[in-house]
């Protein structure tokens, strides 16, 4: 064992410990309720009924979407866990999987470019409980971010082997195994969430451009690598084309106000139920590291300028900075929705923070400053986790009450829920009525959208009128 390996082992154990402790807010209640989480859980149970149970009334009302829509992965994970656990435990298992995989994927990506900067990998923890995951319950989007990090990592580590138009010394069988795995990772990202897939292609494109500039290669090399990426992505790109071709925008373009955009950046894209003081400290601590990284980068550029080595101004990790800057620009200028797609602004904001964090982690920031700021960030994060547990407990009480009510409903019943909760997060909590038995809930919004694995079975469902 090398000396560096012995030195990093205690730090790796600390990272594992903090990753486990980060599960704290989701382990002490029955449910971890979110805006859409209950409906995702209900539909995953319906999918299992359709796949594994004898035909019943469920088959009269629901059918699998024949289109390979890019919102499958989260539902498939729930289907799998629900085969072995009660529904509430299956959802919790999926959430634990996400909370473990996100930090590991983030840290592994830092290792790809900056293996000596792992201290700043702790920046990931505040983003594990972001608004998209913890409040909105967009499970597919959340897993897509993990696949984005894994796929980007894989590209960086195997960039030369993945260049279809280059001559490789790697044995043919091993080479094609690498290429096939890259295609699978792209497909997993797409079938988790198409928006994140698009951002992934965009980020890899920026990385290709920066790498070509650094190496001083010709435009032809940029074209070859870009064509390789397109060929690897051809299946999801074709699916993406047909997805949008079959759906027309409603024309209801809406934008988030500039004040709201600034607000979401200030609260760090985490949920707004927590103590604003600690959220503020978290944001300013992050800003200190960002400013320190910018100062270091400017100083290194100044040194290169003075030594007339301006051709070496870019380094490999600069694509993170360029990509995050473009994401921030899109955050401010893109519409938030068009009547078909929505919540675009906060998705872009979260991706900006994740990518700029990767860039920060690649900079030579003073070690003492890094340790102090990371310590402050972790203290604030775990204080906010205590607040999150209180939030989960209050929402769990509502969810458990609905779940208990479901015991009075006979299997294969048709139910029209009427929701009197004044909590906006509880808008889909009626779905808890159907997570343990076959029940038709007529407020199943997923079946109306055409974005998810299930649709209403218009051919066989009875005409029901109130």
């Amino acid at each position: 064992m090398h000396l560096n390996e012995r030195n990093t082992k205690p730090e790796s154990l600390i990272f594992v410990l903090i990753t486990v402790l980060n599960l704290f807010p989701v382990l002490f209640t029955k449910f971890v309720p979110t805006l859409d989480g209950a409906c995702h859980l209900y539909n995953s149970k319906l999918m299992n009924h359709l796949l594994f149970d004898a035909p019943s009334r469920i088959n009269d009302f629901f059918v699998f979407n024949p289109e390979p829509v890019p919102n499958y992965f989260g539902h498939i994970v729930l289907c799998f866990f629900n085969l072995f656990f009660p529904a509430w435990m299956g959802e919790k298992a999926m959430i634990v999987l996400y909370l473990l995989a996100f930090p590991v994927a983030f840290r592994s990506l830092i290792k790809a470019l900056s293996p000596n900067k792992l201290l700043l990998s702790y920046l990931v923890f505040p983003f594990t409980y972001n608004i998209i995951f913890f409040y909105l319950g967009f499970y597919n989007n959340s897993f897509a971010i993990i696949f984005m990090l894994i796929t980007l990592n894989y590209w960086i580590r195997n960039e030369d082997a993945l260049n279809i138009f280059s001559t490789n010394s790697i044995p043919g069988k091993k080479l094609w195994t690498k290429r096939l795995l890259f295609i699978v990772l792209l497909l997993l990202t797409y079938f988790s969430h198409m928006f994140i897939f698009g951002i992934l292609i965009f980020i890899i494109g920026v990385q290709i451009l920066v790498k070509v500039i650094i190496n001083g290669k010709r435009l032809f090399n940029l074209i070859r690598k870009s064509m390789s990426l397109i060929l690897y992505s051809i299946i999801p790109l074709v699916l993406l084309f047909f997805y949008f071709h079959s759906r027309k925008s409603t024309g209801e373009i809406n934008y988030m106000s500039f004040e709201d955009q600034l607000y979401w950046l200030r609260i760090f894209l985490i949920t707004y139920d927590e103590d604003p003081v600690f959220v503020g400290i978290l944001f300013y601590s992050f800003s200190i590291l960002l400013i320190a990284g910018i100062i270091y980068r400017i100083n290194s550029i100044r040194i290169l300028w003075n030594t007339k080595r301006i051709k070496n101004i870019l380094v490999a990790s600069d694509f993170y900075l360029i990509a995050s800057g473009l994401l921030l620009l899109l955050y401010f200028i893109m519409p938030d929705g068009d009547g078909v797609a929505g919540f675009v602004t906060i998705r872009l904001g979260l991706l900006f923070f994740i990518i700029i964090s990767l860039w920060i982690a690649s900079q030579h920031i003073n070690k003492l400053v890094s340790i102090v700021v990371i310590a402050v960030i972790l203290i604030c994060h775990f204080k906010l986790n205590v607040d999150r547990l209180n939030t989960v407990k209050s929402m769990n009480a509502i969810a458990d009450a609905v779940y208990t009510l479901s015991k009075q409903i006979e299997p294969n019943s048709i139910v029209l829920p009427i929701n009197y909760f004044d909590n906006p997060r509880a808008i889909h909590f009626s779905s808890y009525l159907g997570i343990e038995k076959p029940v038709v809930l007529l407020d199943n919004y997923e079946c109306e959208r055409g974005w998810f694995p299930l649709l209403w079975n218009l051919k066989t469902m009875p005409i029901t009128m109130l």
Side-chain angles (χ1 to χ4, degrees), residues 161 167-179:
T167 303
N168 290 281
S169 59
I170 301 173
K173 186 175 180 180
K174 187 175 181 180
L175 181 64
W176 284 105
T177 300
K178 284 179 174 291
R179 293 175 175 178

Side-chain angles (χ1 to χ4, degrees), residues 37-53 58 62 64 74-76 78-91 403 431-439 444 446 454:
C39 202
H40 296 334
L41 183 59
Y42 168 56
N43 280 281
S44 70
K45 291 295 290 188
L46 290 177
M47 290 168 67
N48 279 355
H49 288 311
L50 293 173
L51 287 170
F52 304 112
D53 294 346
I58 297 299
F62 302 103
F64 281 100
H75 288 71
I76 291 174
L78 284 170
C79 285
F80 174 77
F81 284 127
N82 287 338
L83 291 174
F84 309 101
F85 305 119
W88 63 269
M89 191 180 294
E91 183 182 40
Y403 175 73
S431 294
Y432 287 119
L433 294 171
I435 64 171
E436 290 295 358
K437 63 181 71 172
V439 174
N444 189 343
E446 286 191 17
L454 293 184

